[in-house]
Each structure stands twice: as C-alpha cells, then as structure tokens.
Amino acid sequence: QVQLVESGGGLVQAGGSLRLSCAAPGRTYSTSSKAWFRQAPGKEREFVAAISWNGDDIYYTDSVKGRFTISRDNAKNTVYLQMNSLKPEDTAVYYCAVRFGPATTTRRDYNYWGRGTQVTVSS
C-alpha cells in the first residue's frame, strides 16, 4: 500500500505563490512517476503536472505552463509543485498521484493517490 501525504495548501491572494509537497513516508518510490491533479467544486479531477522518475520527462496542462513547476527529490521521496502567479481559477483541492511506469497525463493511469490539500486563491 502506497501512502501519500500532501501539504502546503492554503489561502493566497491572486498573484501570490504556494509550494505543495507530497511525501511518501517510510517507503522508496524513486522509480515511480509522480503527478499532480486538481479538482474544483462541481468539476472533474483534472491533470496539472507530471514528472518521470528521473525528471527527464515533465508535462504540464496548458493553463499552468510558465506559472507552475513540478520537481522531485528522490532521496526524500517527495514531489513538489511550485505555483506562482496564482489565479482564482487555480482554486481546487490538489492531489498527488503515483504510478510505476512512464509519466502520463491520464488520471486512470495512476494507481495511488493522496487525500489532497486545499488551495484557495482570492481575487
């Protein structure tokens, strides 16, 4: 069983920044791909960013390109999402996910999920 714990969410004004973290305590998933998804109220969970196990392959959804950066520290079993220039439409619960295979942008490809962290951007 893979346990993922997200942190770093909160309330921020438009234009501000947050850094999300997702840790997998007690286990090593250095060869796994990791991703961030988000779900706004009344909407489907959508892809945000993904990174391969060695960082060579990185993907972003168009709406966050140039503002968000995904990174990982395999020694700490942690993946990060640096979010800059936040907009009210970024408000959502953010989930990290893991799969043991190539990074993809498809929700159903990911086998393990955290419980999410709330990000609220005020205008």
Side-chain angles (χ1 to χ4, degrees), residues 84-96:
N84 299 327
S85 302
L86 282 160
K87 304 176 181 180
E89 50 263 45
D90 294 318
T91 295
V93 177
Y94 284 70
Y95 299 89
C96 70

Side-chain angles (χ1 to χ4, degrees), residues 80-113:
Y80 305 97
L81 186 68
Q82 177 67 44
M83 305 186 296
N84 299 327
S85 302
L86 282 160
K87 304 176 181 180
E89 50 263 45
D90 294 318
T91 295
V93 177
Y94 284 70
Y95 299 89
C96 70
V98 167
R99 73 182 303 259
F100 293 96
T104 75
T105 64
T106 305
R107 174 183 172 183
R108 65 176 179 270
D109 289 343
Y110 289 83
N111 309 104
Y112 304 100
W113 294 81

Side-chain angles (χ1 to χ4, degrees), residues 4-16:
L4 302 173
V5 181
E6 300 102 333
S7 61
L11 173 64
V12 64
Q13 289 187 332

Side-chain angles (χ1 to χ4, degrees), residues 13-65:
Q13 289 187 332
S17 298
L18 285 173
R19 188 192 195 205
L20 305 184
S21 299
C22 176
R27 296 288 299 271
T28 299
Y29 304 112
S30 59
T31 58
S32 63
S33 295
K34 295 182 169 66
W36 289 95
F37 290 76
R38 65 187 180 187
Q39 187 167 15
K43 295 187 176 181
E44 294 287 320
R45 192 172 300 186
E46 65 173 1
F47 169 77
V48 177
I51 186 168
S52 60
W53 72 273
N54 59 2
D56 282 354
D57 298 315
I58 292 177
Y59 307 100
Y60 297 100
T61 192
D62 286 346
S63 63
V64 308
K65 286 180 180 177

